[in-house]
């Protein structure tokens, strides 16, 4: 969002191609928005990744991407060709990435996922995980191509490969996060993108009545029933999630880069698990363990003792976070990323003052704010401060 706004503020003509919930979020900012098809993973009712259903559902579209054919590809190609951009900026969006190579347009990739091919990753155990990594790396090369420049954002970075052209920056922290009043409350925020995963957690969280848990998820199906008073449910609501995160004591979440980074920025230790079958999140979980800012666990082996072990280490995690936030390199990667964008614009002759046009692909869809299922816990006692 900030890169798009900066381009517009500096006189560039910007066309945003995106989909999903991001459509309304970006349209409200007054940008020139065009909807394009999305490639998404499919999940089972229990919250685990349905690989074959994903392949069946999106395989033909992925093949169309690979060979530059099909109605979806033509739709995006027409939007790009009509605009005639001098530069394409994409997060991890495959249509623009493929078109950049086919049309000879400079491509700047800004995302987290490129760490899979730009980093020296820790050794993985087992042939399945090693094969999965190779397939992920091959898929990135085939569908996203070879960007002219890469900016990869993460709360923690593995070492960069010696031949990497990527710029490694910190988490992209939204402005409103820095304006929140931060307190260390008594409640624990739990974020589950897939509600089916709640069955692994809820019984064990219910067994710890000394702590209050607020679980955010998409409760469109049948949410858990007969919950004790210290376990409450809420729908995924971006604004409320950040408000509760600023006032809780810790976050339990899937091992997604953004949620972990936002919690660390607010000084909250993180207990995270990779969604089953998600290699990227497995490596994010390893990164969390190495960072010392939290710890990871296997969702299918979660127990009340898992929580007790994490809770016993909370003070140490919090001290590590404080030291990490005082380090010389800023945790918020937006300013560093913007400097890299400006350098790339100058290198490609698309900088401000050249009166050229830049096509931009928007970020992944942002969250919306539906009404809540449950009221928040009463405000926790204790001093607060604005970060």
């Amino acid at each position: 969002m900030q890169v798009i706004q900066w381009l517009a503020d500096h006189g560039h003509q910007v066309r945003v191609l995106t989909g999903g919930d991001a459509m309304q979020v970006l349209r409200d900012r007054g940008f020139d928005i065009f909807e394009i098809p999305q490639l998404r993973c499919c999940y089972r009712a229990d919250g685990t990744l349905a690989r074959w259903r994903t392949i069946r559902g999106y395989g033909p579209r992925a093949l169309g991407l690979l060979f530059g054919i099909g109605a979806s590809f033509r739709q995006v190609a027409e939007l790009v060709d009509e605009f005639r951009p001098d530069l394409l900026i994409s997060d991890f969006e495959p249509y623009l990435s493929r078109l950049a190579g086919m049309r000879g347009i400079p491509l700047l990739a800004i995302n987290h996922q490129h760490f899979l091919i730009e980093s020296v990753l820790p050794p993985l155990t087992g042939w399945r995980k090693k094969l999965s990594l190779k397939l992920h790396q091959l898929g990135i090369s085939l569908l996203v191509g070879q960007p002219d420049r890469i900016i990869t954002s993460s709360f923690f970075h593995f070492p960069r490969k010696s031949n990497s052209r990527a710029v490694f920056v910190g988490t992209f922290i939204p402005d409103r996060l820095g304006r929140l009043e931060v307190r260390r409350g008594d409640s624990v925020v739990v974020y589950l993108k897939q509600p089916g995963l709640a069955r692994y957690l809820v019984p064990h969280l219910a067994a710890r009545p000394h702590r209050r848990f607020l679980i955010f998820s998409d409760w469109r199906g049948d949410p858990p029933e007969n919950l004790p008073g210290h376990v409450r449910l809420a729908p995924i609501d971006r604004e409320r999630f950040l408000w509760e995160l600023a006032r809780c004591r810790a976050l339990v979440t899937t091992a997604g880069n953004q949620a972990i980074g936002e919690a660390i920025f607010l000084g909250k230790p993180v207990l995270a698990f990779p969604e089953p079958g998600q290699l990227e999140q497995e490596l994010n979980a390893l990164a969390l363990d190495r960072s010392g800012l939290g710890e990871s666990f296997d969702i299918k082996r979660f127990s009340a003792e898992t929580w007790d072990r994490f809770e016993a280490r909370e003070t140490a995690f919090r001290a590590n976070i404080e030291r990490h936030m005082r380090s010389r390199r800023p945790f918020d990667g937006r300013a560093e990323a913007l400097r890299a964008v400006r350098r790339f614009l100058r290198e490609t002759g698309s900088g401000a003052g050249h009166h050229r046009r830049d096509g931009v692909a928007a970020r992944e869809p942002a969250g919306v704010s539906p009404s809540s299922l449950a009221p928040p816990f009463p405000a926790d006692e204790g001093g607060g401060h604005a970060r």
Side-chain angles (χ1 to χ4, degrees):
M1 177 74 78
Q2 186 162 345
V3 172
I4 300 174
Q5 189 65 61
W6 183 87
L7 289 166
D9 291 344
H10 284 75
H12 296 279
Q13 290 182 310
V14 181
R15 171 170 289 189
V16 182
L17 310 183
T18 187
D21 296 333
M23 290 292 297
Q24 188 60 48
V25 174
L26 291 166
R27 187 177 286 120
D28 290 344
R29 300 293 185 96
F31 295 120
D32 191 16
I33 307 294
F34 293 84
E35 186 170 12
I36 60 175
Q38 304 284 291
L39 294 178
R40 299 185 180 278
C41 293
C42 298
Y43 292 85
R44 303 182 184 90
D46 65 355
T48 58
L49 179 66
R51 288 192 182 91
W52 291 114
R53 197 192 320 159
T54 300
I55 293 172
R56 288 195 303 271
Y58 293 101
R61 190 175 292 178
L63 288 174
L65 266 170
L66 188 59
F67 295 104
I69 59 176
S72 296
F73 190 88
R74 286 195 302 272
Q75 174 189 347
V76 181
E78 288 172 1
L79 290 170
V80 172
D81 293 341
E82 185 270 333
F83 189 56
R84 296 183 294 108
D86 298 306
L87 173 67
L88 293 175
I89 302 178
S90 175
D91 52 0
F92 201 61
E93 202 289 310
Y95 286 100
L96 290 199
S97 301
R98 290 291 295 163
L99 280 165
M102 296 175 68
R103 301 293 194 268
I105 305 171
L107 173 65
L108 170 61
I110 307 176
N111 58 56
H112 171 65
Q113 294 91 333
H114 260 103
F115 86 95
L116 289 168
I117 59 176
E118 298 296 328
S119 306
V120 180
L121 300 174
L124 298 177
T125 58
W127 69 268
R128 292 181 185 274
K129 289 186 179 180
K130 293 177 181 178
L131 176 61
S132 179
L133 176 59
K134 293 295 183 184
L135 292 175
H136 273 75
Q137 292 171 331
L138 176 62
I140 291 173
S141 299
L142 289 176
L143 293 180
V144 187
Q146 298 295 325
D148 297 279
R149 185 64 51 81
I150 299 169
I151 301 172
T152 181
S153 166
S154 185
F155 68 91
F156 176 86
H157 289 285
F158 296 113
R160 183 170 45 214
K161 288 182 177 178
S162 58
N163 62 346
S164 172
R165 296 171 294 110
V167 177
F168 283 12
V169 303
T171 304
F172 295 141
I173 301 298
D175 287 334
R176 59 187 181 278
L177 206 64
R179 295 191 293 266
L180 290 173
E181 183 183 26
V182 182
R183 298 181 179 182
R184 187 190 304 176
D186 181 61
S187 61
V188 175
V189 169
V190 182
Y191 178 80
L192 302 176
K193 187 175 181 180
Q194 301 301 323
L197 297 171
R199 67 188 182 95
Y200 296 105
L201 294 178
V202 169
H204 305 292
L205 299 181
R208 291 295 179 264
H210 70 285
R211 190 67 63 216
R212 296 182 293 178
F213 299 93
L214 179 61
I215 307 176
F216 287 89
S217 193
D218 183 4
W219 306 108
R220 282 183 287 187
D222 295 326
E225 297 179 349
N226 301 319
L227 296 176
H230 67 283
V231 179
R232 297 191 182 183
L233 308 180
I236 292 178
D237 179 325
R238 177 68 172 162
E239 296 303 322
R240 182 182 171 190
F241 169 76
L242 294 179
W243 190 92
E244 296 283 358
L245 187 63
R247 288 159 174 77
C248 72
R249 67 179 301 119
L251 173 67
V252 180
T253 182
T254 52
N257 172 67
Q258 186 65 25
I260 293 176
E262 289 173 348
I264 292 170
F265 178 79
L266 293 172
K268 313 299 180 178
V270 181
L271 179 62
F273 66 92
E275 291 183 2
Q278 290 279 18
L279 179 67
E280 176 193 334
Q281 291 200 7
E282 289 188 33
L283 288 163
N284 287 343
L286 283 175
L288 179 63
D289 290 331
R290 288 198 175 189
S291 73
L293 309 176
E295 69 175 291
S296 66
F297 67 98
D298 182 339
I299 183 65
K300 294 184 179 180
R301 298 180 180 178
F302 184 78
S303 65
E305 289 70 30
T306 305
W307 170 256
D308 291 344
R309 184 175 63 250
F310 170 76
E311 194 170 45
R313 301 180 64 192
E314 260 191 79
T315 300
F317 292 141
R318 196 168 284 110
N320 290 342
I321 291 173
E322 291 177 0
R323 284 193 295 270
H324 190 72
M325 297 301 291
R326 289 197 302 267
S327 64
R328 294 180 61 186
R329 186 169 187 176
F331 187 79
D332 185 349
R334 292 178 301 171
E336 192 174 355
L338 205 52
R339 286 193 292 270
V341 170
R342 291 198 293 263
R343 287 196 301 270
F344 186 67
L345 289 173
R346 289 195 297 268
E347 292 169 7
T348 59
S350 301
H354 286 79
H355 305 291
R356 299 169 67 92
R357 298 188 301 173
D358 302 299
V360 180
R363 300 287 183 271
E364 286 292 319
V368 295
S369 299
S371 59
S372 299
L373 281 177
F377 287 115
D380 294 298
E381 298 298 325
H385 65 280
R387 185 176 290 279

